[in-house]
């Protein structure tokens, strides 16, 4: 059936039954059937250290990608919103919302630094990564406005203990060799790096407990992406068609979330696909000068462990004069490997003879479709 005929069928269904099926947009979903949650942080407006130019844009881009892909629980903290109290509050609130099989997406773009490790032997080089917040300063009062990498690790482990998977993106720079500096093609200088500092008085009281992991290798279901390693500079880049400066890592991750990482078109983004796609995009955007760091948990199998499923929303619309006039019912269906491949809706409830199920407009096989009021998926008939 061609598209015109499909619309005619849809119109006939609308007036005769008050119902019609229509395809919605592509979304991401947890492969385990849980929810996807996001906490996104971006800081340009530092008060006591050099301001940045592209970290807030990074956060807004990632936010837009998550929401555009159907994620409804996305919390964003930018500039002054990202105080230590606010970050810890939102992390704890997200922890309370987390359930088994959820996916937790965490990202931060801003200044990073390194400090001597608090626990001797916990870091290979004796230095701990630190994420600086807008009001950080090397003073007693300003010392509170930072988050230690070990504190992020604390929360990540708590998410895992609730049965969730975690994706953590750190588009920051740490240490003297990790400056997030300007692309030479740009007109102004910008660095995601602060000079080394000494805290004569440190008022920070880290969040921790005895179960905290010692490193990223102590996790079970977490994927890490960092802008650079300890010896490489990370340039802020100008991306064609986009105004201002950007972090290549955040930009690449946002495009990956939108489906760019599904390189084999099977409707799933594995850890391996995510890492490879983001690494390639960052490498190209930085003129082959930036290599990201990726870390998987020891128990993960990157080639088979799925970060996100890609789903297609299908909407049952009700006519205004229909006795069934609640809001549209959204059903999520798993995308097939190829757009042209025959697909059918499968749930195991009851089979529908609805002609819309066999229309090319819906891209579903003429073999018919099975409908559910709960959650369904598309699978290939090949």
């Amino acid at each position: 059936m061609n598209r015109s005929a499909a619309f005619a069928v849809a119109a006939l269904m609308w007036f005769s039954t008050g119902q019609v099926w229509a395809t919605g947009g592509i979304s991401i979903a947890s492969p385990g059937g849980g929810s996807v949650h996001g906490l996104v942080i971006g800081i340009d407006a530092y008060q006591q250290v050099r301001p940045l130019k592209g970290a807030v844009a990074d956060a807004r881009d990632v936010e837009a990608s998550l929401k555009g892909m159907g994620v409804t629980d996305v919390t964003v903290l930018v500039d002054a919103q990202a105080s230590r109290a606010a970050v810890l509050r939102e992390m704890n609130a997200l922890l309370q919302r987390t359930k088994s099989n959820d996916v937790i997406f965490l990202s931060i773009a801003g200044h990073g630094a390194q400090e001597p490790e608090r626990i001797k032997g916990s870091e290979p080089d004796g230095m701990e990564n630190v994420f600086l917040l807008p009001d950080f300063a090397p003073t007693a009062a300003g010392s509170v406005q930072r988050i230690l990498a070990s504190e992020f690790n604390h929360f990540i482990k708590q998410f895992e203990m609730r049965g969730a998977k975690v994706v953590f993106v750190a588009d920051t720079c740490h240490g003297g060799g990790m400056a997030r500096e300007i692309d030479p093609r740009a007109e102004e200088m910008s660095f995601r790096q602060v000079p080394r500092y000494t805290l004569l008085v440190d008022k920070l009281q880290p969040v921790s407990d005895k179960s905290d992991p010692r490193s990223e290798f102590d996790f079970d279901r977490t994927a890490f992406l960092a802008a650079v390693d300890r010896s490489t500079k990370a340039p802020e880049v100008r991306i064609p068609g986009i105004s201002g400066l950007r972090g290549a890592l955040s930009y690449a991750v946002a495009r990956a979330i939108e489906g760019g990482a599904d390189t084999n078109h099977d409707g799933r983004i594995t850890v391996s696909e995510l890492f490879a796609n983001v690494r390639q995009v960052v490498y190209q955007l930085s003129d082959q000068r930036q290599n990201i760091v990726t870390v998987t948990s020891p128990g993960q199998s990157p080639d088979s462990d799925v970060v996100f499923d890609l789903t297609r929303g299908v909407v049952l619309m009700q006519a205004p004069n229909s006795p069934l006039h609640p809001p549209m019912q959204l059903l999520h269906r798993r995308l097939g490997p190829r757009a042209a491949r025959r697909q059918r809706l499968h749930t195991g409830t009851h089979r529908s003879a609805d002609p819309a199920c066999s229309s090319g407009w819906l891209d579903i096989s003429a073999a018919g479709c099975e409908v559910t009021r709960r959650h369904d998926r598309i699978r290939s008939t090949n």
Side-chain angles (χ1 to χ4, degrees):
M1 181 182 295
N2 61 30
R3 187 174 296 270
S4 298
F7 275 108
V9 170
L12 177 62
M13 291 175 58
W14 180 273
F15 289 110
S16 62
T17 69
Q19 304 179 29
V20 63
W21 290 98
T23 54
I26 298 173
S27 301
I28 56 174
S30 166
S35 301
V36 180
H37 310 271
L39 175 57
V40 182
I41 302 169
I43 305 165
D44 285 334
Y46 287 90
Q47 301 304 303
Q48 304 298 326
V49 297
R50 184 195 306 237
L52 295 176
K53 299 180 183 296
V56 170
D58 288 345
R60 292 303 186 192
D61 190 17
V62 172
E63 173 195 14
S65 293
L66 288 169
K67 290 182 176 179
M69 295 298 286
V71 181
T72 57
D73 183 12
V74 182
T75 301
V76 182
L77 299 174
V78 296
D79 287 341
Q81 298 171 346
S83 65
R84 178 176 172 84
V87 172
L88 296 183
R89 181 184 67 245
E90 296 301 337
M91 291 286 276
N92 279 299
L94 178 54
L95 182 61
Q96 295 305 310
R97 297 195 299 274
T98 300
K99 296 180 174 59
S100 182
N101 294 319
D102 285 355
V103 174
I104 307 299
F105 181 93
L106 306 174
S107 73
I108 181 167
H111 272 313
Q114 284 192 314
E115 298 174 1
E117 61 188 4
R118 288 172 173 258
I119 302 175
K120 189 172 179 59
S122 62
E123 299 293 336
D125 60 357
M127 302 295 288
E128 180 174 12
N129 289 343
V130 180
F131 301 89
L132 305 184
L133 302 176
D135 289 327
F136 170 80
T139 63
S143 67
V144 176
Q145 295 302 319
R146 68 199 207 277
I147 302 288
L148 306 180
S150 60
E151 294 183 291
F152 272 117
N153 289 350
H154 165 85
F155 283 105
I156 290 170
K157 190 62 177 180
Q158 295 300 311
F159 290 129
E160 286 195 345
M161 290 172 65
R162 288 178 175 262
K165 291 184 177 181
V166 180
V167 178
F168 181 44
V169 180
D171 202 349
T172 57
C173 297
H174 307 272
M178 299 176 68
R180 179 163 172 179
E181 63 180 11
I182 193 70
D183 188 295
R185 295 168 294 182
E187 299 172 354
E188 300 173 343
M189 298 298 292
S190 177
F191 299 84
R192 290 199 181 177
Q193 177 197 26
V194 297
R196 290 193 180 275
Y197 53 83
T198 301
L199 295 175
L200 299 178
V201 180
D202 188 356
K203 295 288 189 179
L204 182 70
Q205 297 182 355
V207 177
S208 64
D209 61 38
K210 294 181 179 179
S211 65
D212 286 352
R214 290 175 63 90
S215 75
E216 291 84 353
F217 295 101
D218 292 331
F219 295 107
D220 299 315
R221 294 179 296 276
T222 297
F224 287 89
L225 299 95
V228 285
D229 59 27
R230 293 178 179 269
S231 60
T232 306
K233 292 184 178 182
E236 281 195 323
V237 300
R238 287 199 181 277
I239 298 170
I242 297 178
S243 62
L245 303 176
R246 295 294 307 279
L249 176 60
S250 294
Y251 181 86
V253 168
R255 306 292 78 76
I257 290 171
E258 293 168 351
D262 183 19
T263 53
N264 64 356
H265 308 291
D266 68 347
R268 292 182 167 185
I269 298 176
T270 64
V271 173
S272 179
E273 286 179 313
L274 175 65
F275 286 177
N277 176 260
V278 171
R279 181 177 292 109
Q280 180 181 15
V281 173
V282 169
Y283 195 62
Q284 292 172 342
L285 290 174
S286 64
D287 283 346
Q288 305 178 2
R289 288 175 294 147
Q290 182 177 348
N291 288 294
I292 66 170
V293 175
T294 58
V295 180
T296 59
S297 299
Q300 286 183 313
S301 177
D303 291 334
S304 59
D305 195 82
V306 178
V307 181
F308 298 119
D309 278 340
L310 298 178
T311 67
R312 174 181 293 142
V314 181
V315 178
L316 177 60
M317 299 182 293
Q318 309 293 343
N321 60 352
S322 168
L324 302 174
H325 190 52
M328 297 184 294
Q329 179 182 2
L330 180 63
L331 303 178
H332 295 288
R333 301 177 178 179
R334 172 76 184 284
L335 291 180
R338 295 288 188 272
R341 181 175 288 186
R342 293 179 300 143
Q343 298 169 324
R344 69 182 178 89
L345 187 63
H346 174 81
T347 60
T349 52
H350 64 277
R351 182 174 296 276
S352 169
D354 192 330
C357 292
S358 61
S359 72
W361 179 44
L362 290 178
D363 193 26
I364 298 176
S365 169
C369 65
E370 298 168 349
V371 183
T372 176
R373 293 187 179 92
R374 299 184 305 277
H375 189 78
D376 55 348
R377 65 188 179 90
I378 292 177
R379 72 179 185 183
S380 170
T381 59
N382 287 13

